[in-house]
């Protein structure tokens, strides 16, 4: 079976990209291959991680493109050139429009550092999510991996995992625990599950893909 061609979109440190690279190197990501890393930030450490693992990368910024439309058009061009079949948003801090997401239906997945529908949507990203969770006083938080559609953090949920909040948590400490106990585990599992469906079903993926459910 041919491997699903994966592009990983990043903006920052890239620890989730690293978790995916590790899963590829260990053989766990058996149905897919990360063929490209796309960053909207030229200083992202994720780019170093890609280079260290001989994965080609490209930087595309909204600023250099001049508009959101031109930015997304450039992204689409790159995805087509590289025959990308699955896009993974791994700490990608830009919201993609419905025009973009409709071109890759059920082929874009995102990891979000809370239990959706809590602490999600526009304005909830990175450390901000954990600041808000602590401010609210929730005792449980976690991470969600979901398909991406036109609603920010609103697509179908693939996997979720809860993580306990401790009384002395800071946003940074909580972020680390959510990554370690949830994100770095869930994201590689979800990517393998979806990559396997795409590889298995080929052109019939859109109509026949099954509902992804797994107890973790
Ligand atoms: C991760 O916690 C990811 O879930 C979050 O940003 C962090 C990126 O870290 N993403 C979002 O908040 C998207 N809404 P990383 O660059 O080390 O993977």
């Amino acid at each position: 079976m041919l491997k699903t061609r994966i592009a990983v979109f990043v903006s920052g440190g890239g620890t989730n990209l690293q978790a995916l690279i590790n899963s590829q190197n260990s053989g766990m990501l058996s149905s897919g291959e990360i063929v490209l890393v796309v960053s909207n930030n030229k200083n992202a450490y994720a780019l170093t991680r890609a280079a260290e693992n001989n994965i080609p990368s490209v930087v595309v910024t909204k600023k250099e493109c001049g508009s959101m439309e031109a930015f997304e058009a450039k992204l689409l061009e790159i995805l087509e050139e590289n025959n990308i079949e699955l896009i993974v948003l791994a700490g990608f801090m830009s919201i993609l429009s419905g025009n973009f997401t409709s071109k890759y239906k059920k082929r874009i997945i995102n990891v979000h550092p809370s239990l959706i529908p809590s602490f999600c949507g526009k304005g909830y990203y990175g450390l901000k999510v954990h600041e808000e969770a602590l401010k609210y006083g929730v005792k449980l938080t976690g991470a969600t991996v979901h398909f991406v559609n036109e609603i920010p953090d609103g697509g179908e949920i693939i996997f979720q995992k809860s993580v306990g909040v401790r009384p002395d948590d800071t946003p940074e400490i909580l972020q680390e625990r959510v990554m370690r106990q949830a994100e770095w585990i869930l994201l590689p599992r979800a990517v393998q599950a979806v990559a396997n469906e795409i590889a298995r079903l080929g052109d019939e993926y859109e109509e026949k893909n099954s509902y992804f459910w797994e107890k973790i």
Side-chain angles (χ1 to χ4, degrees):
M1 204 157 65
L2 280 177
K3 290 195 180 193
T4 296
R5 293 176 63 81
I6 302 170
V8 183
F9 283 22
V10 297
S11 299
T15 63
N16 280 288
L17 168 66
Q18 189 65 55
L20 291 171
I21 292 172
N22 294 350
S23 80
Q24 175 159 287
N25 293 344
S26 75
M28 187 203 137
L29 181 53
S30 58
S31 301
E33 187 183 352
I34 305 165
V35 295
L36 186 67
V37 168
V38 179
S39 176
N40 65 347
N41 167 15
K42 69 174 172 20
N43 298 317
Y45 185 69
L47 291 167
T48 306
R49 297 181 193 271
E52 278 171 1
N53 289 277
N54 302 316
I55 300 170
S57 64
V58 56
V59 177
V60 187
T61 67
K62 220 176 285 178
K63 203 170 165 205
E64 274 171 19
C65 292
S67 69
M68 185 66 186
E69 289 73 28
F71 174 65
E72 290 192 342
K74 182 74 194 164
L75 291 176
L76 289 170
E77 189 188 308
I78 291 167
L79 294 169
E80 271 164 38
E81 265 170 26
N82 288 277
N83 298 318
I84 299 301
E85 301 168 284
L86 174 62
I87 300 161
V88 182
L89 309 184
F92 185 63
M93 303 303 180
S94 179
I95 292 175
L96 296 165
S97 74
N99 177 49
F100 184 100
T101 59
S102 66
K103 297 204 166 60
Y104 285 86
K105 264 199 193 126
K106 289 224 179 171
R107 287 175 182 269
I108 311 176
I109 71 180
N110 179 46
V111 59
H112 182 78
S114 76
L115 293 174
I116 290 175
S118 288
F119 311 113
C120 65
K122 203 165 177 278
Y124 285 94
Y125 56 87
L127 211 52
K128 175 89 182 150
V129 177
H130 304 291
E131 282 166 10
E132 293 300 319
L134 289 177
K135 216 184 279 172
Y136 197 97
V138 291
K139 303 299 177 227
L140 268 184
T141 185
T144 304
V145 178
H146 62 94
F147 285 114
V148 175
N149 63 11
E150 69 287 358
I151 303 158
D153 296 324
E156 183 188 347
I157 290 171
I158 304 171
F159 295 149
Q160 285 188 306
K161 189 169 188 283
S162 61
V163 174
V165 178
R166 294 182 191 155
D168 52 354
D169 273 345
T170 63
E172 290 79 7
I173 291 171
L174 184 57
Q175 179 180 53
E176 229 281 318
R177 188 178 318 116
V178 169
M179 283 177 157
R180 189 176 298 284
Q181 292 185 6
E183 296 185 46
W184 301 339
I185 299 167
L186 292 192
L187 187 62
R189 286 189 192 173
V191 172
Q192 166 56 18
V194 177
N196 190 55
E197 284 295 273
I198 293 174
R200 188 171 71 83
L201 295 169
D203 288 345
E204 295 183 313
Y205 171 73
E206 272 72 18
E207 29 170 321
K208 287 198 179 159
N209 68 83
S210 53
Y211 179 76
F212 298 101
W213 196 93
E214 189 177 279
K215 201 166 190 308
I216 293 184

